[in-house]
């Protein structure tokens, strides 16, 4: 690794993206995401202010074996969305930037829509109050005791979803963390099929295929693990944790090209969403590093299985602060 002009206080910034699409032209303009034009402008700004690093260079910096002339920046894209292949990757290639793309293996392999995405699209399709009322009514009808044990601390919920209102953050936390997954999934699947339509056809439109993901690799991008079920790893039993991560890694190995480095992105990503057991298992499975969603920069010595990311929304303002 070649050294640049030595800077003793350099930092590694990781910017996180999910939906990147021309929202007004889609069927779901209320989905929370970044407009494609804004994405292009943000990439141009980042490329002019930072060394847009490969993961290899970023890890060398964290180990203290590479001292860059400027702060470093890498970009991550979670969930394996189709637009990451059709719209995002060509822009990254234009700027010669390596992106890290986290994929949910069940969505690709089985053509199902992750419950977290069903929740997003139902909220975008219906008024939030209407959707929440329908969900909660079905919950009371099917599992009247479910809310008794599903505690939600509003402060924790708001910290987990800082870009949402308190009401939406509380509902998302209940949905993603507190409710029994099988109960939640049954309700949201029924609502999704009633209001939006067939899951399999929707999944084929929403997510990349294995072939498209492989093409990303061959364009110089890296693929990241992002679990099989996209559930908070801290909420899984030991058996569920092992099953989820083993299946996910096996499918990546079976369907994709080998990679020298395998990153991982924690679903949801706050410290309450993963565990020491999850970090240990990721290392056993051959992952190189993992990203959470705790804000802030990374410096030499930052634990590589707890690398910080900032959301793309307002990222430039955060980085300028």
């Amino acid at each position: 690794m070649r050294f640049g002009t030595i800077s003793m206080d350099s930092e590694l910034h990781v910017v996180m993206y999910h939906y990147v699409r021309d929202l007004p032209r889609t069927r779901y303009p209320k989905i929370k995401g970044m407009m494609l034009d804004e994405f292009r402008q943000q990439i141009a700004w980042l490329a002019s202010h930072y060394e847009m690093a490969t993961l290899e260079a970023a890890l060398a910096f964290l180990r203290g074996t590479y001292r860059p002339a400027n702060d470093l920046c890498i970009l991550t894209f979670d969930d394996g969305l189709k637009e990451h292949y059709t719209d995002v990757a060509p822009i990254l290639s234009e700027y010669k930037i390596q992106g890290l793309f986290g994929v949910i293996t069940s969505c690709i392999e089985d053509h199902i829509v992750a419950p977290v995405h069903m929740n997003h699209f139902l909220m975008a399709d219906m008024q939030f109050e209407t959707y929440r009322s329908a969900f909660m009514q079905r919950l009371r009808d099917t599992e009247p005791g479910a809310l008794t044990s599903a505690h939600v601390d509003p402060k924790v919920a708001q910290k987990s979803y800082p870009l949402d209102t308190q009401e939406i953050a509380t509902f998302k936390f209940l949905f993603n963390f507190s409710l029994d997954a099988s109960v939640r999934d049954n309700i949201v699947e029924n609502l999704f099929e009633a209001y939006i339509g067939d899951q399999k056809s929707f999944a084929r439109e929403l997510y990349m295929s294995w072939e498209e993901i492989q093409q990303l690799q061959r364009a110089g991008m890296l693929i990241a693990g992002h679990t099989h079920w996209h559930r908070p790893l801290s909420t899984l039993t030991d058996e569920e944790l092992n099953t989820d991560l083993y299946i996910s890694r096996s499918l990546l190995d079976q369907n994709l090209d080998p990679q020298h480095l395998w990153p991982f992105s924690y679903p949801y990503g706050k410290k309450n969403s993963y565990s020491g057991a999850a970090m240990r298992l990721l290392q056993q499975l051959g992952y190189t590093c993992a990203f959470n969603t705790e804000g802030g920069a990374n410096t030499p010595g930052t634990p590589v299985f707890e690398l910080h990311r900032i959301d793309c929304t307002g990222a430039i303002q955060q980085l300028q602060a």
Side-chain angles (χ1 to χ4, degrees), residues 34-97:
M34 175 169 277
M35 292 285 291
L36 196 57
D37 286 345
E38 185 184 356
F39 173 72
R40 179 180 283 279
Q41 292 166 11
Q42 190 174 87
I43 294 303
W45 186 90
L46 291 170
S48 68
H49 286 77
Y50 295 95
E51 178 183 324
M52 302 305 293
T54 62
L55 182 60
E56 183 178 17
L59 291 173
F61 164 71
L62 295 172
R63 289 194 302 267
T65 59
Y66 175 50
R67 293 179 181 172
N70 300 310
D71 281 2
L72 304 176
C73 182
I74 57 177
L75 310 177
T76 69
F77 301 84
D78 285 358
D79 298 343
L81 303 173
K82 181 78 78 173
E83 64 240 42
H84 295 167
Y85 171 75
T86 58
D87 299 325
V88 167
I91 295 174
L92 297 185
S93 294
E94 181 183 330
Y95 281 87
K96 296 181 171 57
I97 294 171

Side-chain angles (χ1 to χ4, degrees), residues 11-301:
E11 296 177 325
L12 167 65
H13 303 278
V14 186
V15 184
M16 168 182 58
Y17 300 83
H18 290 85
Y19 301 105
V20 182
R21 50 177 59 186
D22 287 328
L23 292 161
R25 299 186 182 93
T26 71
R27 285 180 292 164
Y28 302 95
K30 293 181 182 178
I31 281 285
K32 290 188 175 180
M34 175 169 277
M35 292 285 291
L36 196 57
D37 286 345
E38 185 184 356
F39 173 72
R40 179 180 283 279
Q41 292 166 11
Q42 190 174 87
I43 294 303
W45 186 90
L46 291 170
S48 68
H49 286 77
Y50 295 95
E51 178 183 324
M52 302 305 293
T54 62
L55 182 60
E56 183 178 17
L59 291 173
F61 164 71
L62 295 172
R63 289 194 302 267
T65 59
Y66 175 50
R67 293 179 181 172
N70 300 310
D71 281 2
L72 304 176
C73 182
I74 57 177
L75 310 177
T76 69
F77 301 84
D78 285 358
D79 298 343
L81 303 173
K82 181 78 78 173
E83 64 240 42
H84 295 167
Y85 171 75
T86 58
D87 299 325
V88 167
I91 295 174
L92 297 185
S93 294
E94 181 183 330
Y95 281 87
K96 296 181 171 57
I97 294 171
Q98 181 188 74
L100 279 57
F101 293 84
V103 298
I104 309 167
T105 49
S106 66
C107 299
I108 303 159
E109 183 72 7
D110 302 323
H111 305 296
I112 62 172
V113 180
V116 65
H117 294 143
M118 291 188 197
N119 198 38
H120 291 167
F121 283 97
L122 283 163
M123 284 194 286
D125 187 63
M126 306 164 67
Q127 292 291 332
F128 171 67
E129 289 292 347
T130 304
Y131 165 56
R132 181 175 63 176
S133 294
F135 184 93
M136 298 303 284
Q137 186 60 55
R138 292 197 183 207
L139 182 62
R140 285 189 289 268
D141 290 344
T142 57
E143 294 288 336
L147 289 173
T148 304
S149 58
H151 173 70
V152 178
D153 182 330
K155 291 182 179 178
V156 174
Q158 191 68 77
K159 185 177 186 298
S160 298
Y161 300 99
L163 302 179
D164 289 309
T165 65
Q166 181 69 72
E167 281 188 323
I168 293 176
T170 299
F171 180 74
K172 281 186 174 181
F173 194 92
L174 174 73
F175 185 96
N176 292 318
F177 285 83
S178 299
L179 289 175
D180 177 88
S182 61
V183 172
R184 175 205 64 192
D185 291 356
N186 183 55
I187 295 170
V188 76
E189 285 171 11
N190 288 335
L191 287 170
F192 188 87
E193 300 217 351
Y195 287 93
I196 293 181
D198 176 63
Q199 215 185 131
K200 284 190 178 294
S201 58
F202 195 92
R204 290 179 187 275
E205 292 182 17
L206 182 60
Y207 304 110
M208 293 184 281
S209 67
W210 286 120
E211 292 76 16
E212 289 166 338
I213 297 167
Q214 203 171 52
Q215 288 183 47
L216 288 185
Q217 289 182 299
R218 293 170 185 179
M221 308 301 166
L222 281 182
I223 307 308
H226 197 42
T227 74
H228 190 63
W229 297 321
H230 199 278
R231 288 166 57 188
L233 298 181
S234 60
T235 67
L236 305 183
T237 65
D238 289 344
E239 182 179 358
E240 289 171 336
L241 178 65
N242 278 281
T243 300
D244 181 284
L245 294 183
Y246 273 101
I247 291 175
S248 177
R249 184 58 203 257
S250 295
L251 287 169
L252 294 175
D253 290 338
Q254 290 167 21
N255 290 282
L256 300 178
D257 293 339
Q259 290 184 175
H260 176 57
L261 302 173
W262 280 99
F264 185 90
S265 295
Y266 297 112
Y268 310 103
K270 296 299 182 187
K271 281 185 176 288
N272 64 345
S273 72
Y274 59 94
S275 62
M279 288 190 282
R280 289 189 293 274
L281 185 52
L282 289 174
Q283 294 177 66
Q284 292 170 21
L285 290 171
Y287 287 100
T288 314
C289 61
F291 298 91
N292 61 30
T293 60
E294 296 287 349
N298 303 280
T299 55

